[in-house]
Amino acid sequence: MAAGQVITLRLTIQDPLLGVAYSLQDRKSVPVGPVIAGDGPISFDVPVRVAPGPRFLGDFVRSEGASRRFVYLAIGEQAGQRPSAWSRRAKIDIHLLPAGLLEKALAGTVLEARLPGKAGDGSPACATLHPIAGWQVVD
């Protein structure tokens, strides 16, 4: 693996809350690329540098402890929408990418995580979100 090779991770919110803003959030908690949800899924492509180890780096990669790496999706006010009934963010772990899929991403394919958009009470899903069917190679 070349040091600092860039892969693309696609985060797709399956069923976002209509009329609510969603965005990526950079390492300084600034919303990037906000989108107001319509009646379909929303996707964000996240560039991630991969160093030996593997270690995940980049403008959107956050860390917690020695090994946990994740990306935040901002929702409502955190995505820059004012006023909004919501001010949340969702954490998507990337440090647990299966080695086989990481190899495919390093070869140039895009990996996608399809994420739930709504919590059980109908509000925007937040906290740590897990891909609905795991990480998948985009065709």
Side-chain angles (χ1 to χ4, degrees):
M1 159 186 338
Q5 187 173 346
V6 176
I7 64 171
T8 300
L9 302 178
R10 180 168 296 153
L11 306 177
T12 298
I13 305 163
Q14 277 294 116
D15 56 343
L17 202 62
L18 184 66
V20 174
Y22 292 81
S23 75
L24 291 172
Q25 194 175 66
D26 72 12
R27 290 189 316 196
K28 295 181 180 179
S29 297
V30 174
V32 176
V35 175
I36 303 295
D39 60 358
I42 296 174
S43 294
F44 297 95
D45 283 357
V46 184
V48 175
R49 287 190 321 277
V50 182
R55 291 185 321 136
F56 299 98
L57 309 163
D59 293 338
F60 301 103
V61 177
R62 303 284 194 99
S63 63
E64 189 174 280
S67 61
R68 188 175 190 187
R69 300 295 178 265
F70 57 91
V71 174
Y72 274 132
L73 286 175
I75 304 161
E77 288 197 4
Q78 295 231 3
Q81 183 180 35
R82 289 183 178 71
S84 175
W86 313 107
S87 183
R88 297 180 174 182
R89 59 187 179 181
K91 183 184 286 187
I92 296 85
D93 286 320
I94 63 173
H95 66 283
L96 300 173
L97 285 170
L101 286 179
L102 181 55
E103 297 259 339
K104 290 180 181 183
L106 289 166
T109 63
V110 174
L111 300 183
E112 180 181 45
R114 293 190 159 276
L115 304 162
K118 295 179 184 139
D121 64 0
S123 67
C126 62
T128 300
L129 297 183
H130 301 285
I132 294 167
W135 287 90
Q136 305 287 323
V137 172
V138 174
D139 294 327

